[in-house]
Amino acid sequence: MSHLADWSATRLASSIASGDVSAVEVMRAHLERIEERNPDIRAVVSQQPDSVSLAAAEEADRRTASAKAAGEPLPPLHGLPTAVKDLMDVAGLPTTNGSAAFADAPPAQHDSVLATLLREAGALIIGKTNTPEMGQGVLTFNPVFGTTVNPWDTTRHAGGSSGGAAAALAARMLPIADGSDSGGSLRYPAAFCNVVGVRPTPGRVASGRTGNAWTPHGVTGPMARDSADAALFLDALSVEKGVWPLSSLPVHAARPVELDGLRIAWSADAGGLPIDPDVAAVHAAFAEQLAGLGAIVEPGEPDFAGADEAWETIETFEFFLGGRHAVDAGATGFRPDYLRNVEQGRQTSATQLADAYERRTRAFRDTTALLERYDVIVLPATPVAAPDAGLEWVETVDGTRFERYFTWQMLANRLTLTAHPVVVTSAGFTADGLPVGVQVVGRHGRELQLLAVTRAIEEATGWISRAPSF
């Protein structure tokens, strides 16, 4: 038997439900893998004692036996170990937000909405995954737990802000992990680590933290090792009953997809953004590969004029929305970029916000119109391969210099504004062996169908099945 920690989430869930393997065996395999690899990667943090995790697995096995005896179905993620991004509360574990301001946070008293959904779906939460301070930026480093590095090359970043999740998946320490995303926070790390990240339609998955205002700008989504596992995870987390705004979105079943004749609107640079030549070469080869498989690949992208300014206005306003209470109460230890974002958001005028919301509406409509002519839109996921682990952000790409940490994220930021679902999957590897990803955009509310498309691409190309060596 191959190592259980290398099995897919779908295979593990099916095998636990059938009794072919036990939840205890699965838990023990992942705990061993975490013990072996996490000291070098620093992806899983605030891990609860192994005895607690194994006790939860024993209870899951008792539930398996009871359900089989009664002929009852088990929840879709039954017995699967996972860890929650360290921005969301999990009862009994601290939420540090990767910030010195919360480094000594006591264990949370209650589960966040996300943790509640995970438990209801049968997942077993064993700890947290690392994140940059307050989820800021697309590289994971903080003063509490340090830098999460990339399993493909530990001298490089894993990405962020869901970097702990992506690295844990790539290193085969977890079968599933959640991410959150307002400007690429699950998309950049997925691309850097050769895993799948799903930014769903706003409202599909309950997001936000307990006590904070709801927003369609930042969303929570599944991360997994391939699109089949991501679809299982997303289906388990999808909310259809009014516990969350917009949660009346129907879940549409995915249909099988043939790449022959698939209509793809292809964007090489999302409206003229700089792309590293090595990454651009991988993307160009990927477009040729898709065309060779019978897809109809034609140039096409939404109108991105004014999108960057609108995203920045909304993003910094939401930093103010989420951070004003702690900052105004005098909490200390925040990094300067975070305070700058909060204060910029504080100064946002009603006119600026109205203009940004209007631009967001146009982005949604323009993308919807484009997807009436094409099945999906494909764009680069990141402008570079995984950068050096010592960087705080990528300051230069192909001769273009970026003055703030979020300005090199615009490949992701521009799609955030469209409010359409995006799946990041693999496009291949650079000559140095580093993963390169693409963003695949689908129709509003049709995440499972979009995942059927990316699954077909993955099965045809084989890139996503590659794992780093240890």
Side-chain angles (χ1 to χ4, degrees):
M1 179 185 293
S2 60
H3 198 290
L4 286 173
D6 295 325
W7 288 20
S8 70
T10 50
R11 183 182 179 188
L12 286 172
S14 174
S15 298
I16 292 171
S18 68
D20 290 341
V21 298
S22 69
V24 167
E25 290 174 307
V26 171
M27 179 64 74
R28 188 172 287 117
H30 287 87
L31 294 177
E32 290 172 353
R33 184 60 64 76
I34 291 170
E35 182 179 7
E36 173 193 350
R37 297 180 178 176
N38 197 56
D40 294 329
I41 305 297
R42 295 183 294 280
V44 179
V45 300
S46 300
Q47 188 178 345
Q48 64 191 10
D50 287 1
S51 59
V52 176
S53 297
L54 288 168
E58 289 171 356
E59 177 58 32
D61 284 332
R62 286 191 287 271
R63 184 174 180 184
T64 301
S66 176
K68 289 184 71 174
E72 297 173 348
L74 288 162
L77 306 181
H78 179 70
L80 297 186
T82 192
V84 173
K85 188 175 178 180
D86 195 21
L87 300 179
M88 301 287 187
D89 286 347
V90 173
L93 297 175
T95 303
T96 76
N97 298 284
S99 174
F102 303 107
D104 298 321
Q109 298 298 305
H110 305 285
D111 280 339
S112 59
V113 175
L114 173 66
T116 299
L117 289 172
L118 285 168
R119 295 193 202 278
E120 289 177 350
L124 307 179
I125 300 173
I126 64 170
K128 296 291 193 76
T129 55
N130 203 19
T131 182
E133 182 179 73
M134 311 305 290
Q136 177 175 282
V138 291
L139 300 177
T140 296
F141 60 94
N142 65 58
V144 184
F145 299 113
T147 299
T148 298
V149 296
N150 197 313
W152 290 90
D153 180 346
T154 56
T155 70
R156 296 175 181 267
H157 271 292
S161 62
S162 307
L169 289 165
R172 280 26 184 186
M173 294 189 288
L174 295 173
I176 53 171
D178 64 277
S180 57
D181 186 303
S182 65
S185 281
L186 61 74
R187 287 172 282 165
Y188 269 52
F192 288 152
C193 292
N194 203 52
V195 298
V196 169
V198 183
R199 178 185 162 87
T201 304
R204 172 67 69 209
V205 178
S207 57
R209 305 178 219 176
T210 302
N212 280 10
W214 174 83
T215 169
H217 184 71
V219 302
T220 297
M223 302 183 73
R225 297 178 195 160
D226 60 31
S227 289
D229 285 358
L232 172 74
F233 195 3
L234 179 65
D235 199 28
L237 293 180
S238 295
V239 179
E240 291 189 81
K241 300 174 182 176
V243 300
W244 208 249
L246 299 185
S247 62
S248 60
L249 284 169
V251 178
H252 297 275
R255 301 183 306 276
V257 172
E258 295 289 340
L259 296 184
D260 190 10
L262 186 75
R263 297 166 300 166
I264 298 175
W266 181 271
S267 172
D269 55 17
L273 293 172
I275 307 292
D276 179 84
D278 290 342
V279 171
V282 174
H283 286 142
F286 185 64
E288 292 180 4
Q289 188 174 20
L290 292 177
L293 292 167
I296 301 168
V297 183
E298 299 175 343
E301 62 188 17
D303 178 7
F304 291 120
D308 299 351
E309 296 80 5
W311 179 90
E312 181 178 339
T313 296
I314 296 170
E315 176 80 353
T316 55
F317 181 74
E318 299 219 350
F319 267 102
F320 168 66
L321 181 68
R324 60 193 174 117
H325 297 301
V327 172
D328 292 348
T332 59
F334 294 115
R335 60 188 263 202
D337 272 341
Y338 179 74
L339 294 173
R340 180 181 181 180
N341 286 347
V342 172
E343 292 310 311
Q344 182 176 338
R346 190 189 302 273
Q347 300 302 317
T348 302
S349 70
T351 298
Q352 287 176 304
L353 205 55
D355 287 345
Y357 287 168
E358 287 180 356
R359 182 64 189 87
R360 181 167 66 183
T361 300
R362 292 199 302 276
F364 170 80
R365 290 173 176 167
D366 191 42
T367 306
T368 298
L370 184 59
L371 285 167
E372 289 176 354
R373 303 194 304 275
Y374 294 95
D375 297 305
V376 292
I377 309 166
V378 178
L379 309 90
T382 64
V384 297
D388 185 274
L391 296 177
E392 292 194 2
W393 77 83
V394 173
E395 296 186 8
T396 304
V397 176
D398 196 29
T400 298
R401 185 169 180 81
F402 302 105
E403 299 298 331
R404 290 183 71 175
Y405 76 89
F406 56 71
T407 50
W408 77 287
Q409 302 172 200
M410 290 304 169
L411 280 168
N413 299 348
R414 291 180 175 185
L415 292 183
T416 294
L417 217 61
T418 72
H420 280 66
V422 185
V423 174
V424 165
T425 189
S426 181
F429 293 78
T430 66
D432 294 333
L434 294 175
V436 174
V438 287
Q439 300 181 91
V440 186
V441 186
R443 296 186 176 100
H444 187 263
R446 298 297 182 101
E447 293 87 354
L448 291 181
Q449 189 59 39
L450 175 59
L451 282 162
V453 172
T454 54
R455 181 176 181 178
I457 291 172
E458 291 163 8
E459 290 175 349
T461 64
W463 297 121
I464 201 67
S465 64
R466 294 193 182 185
S469 58
F470 286 89

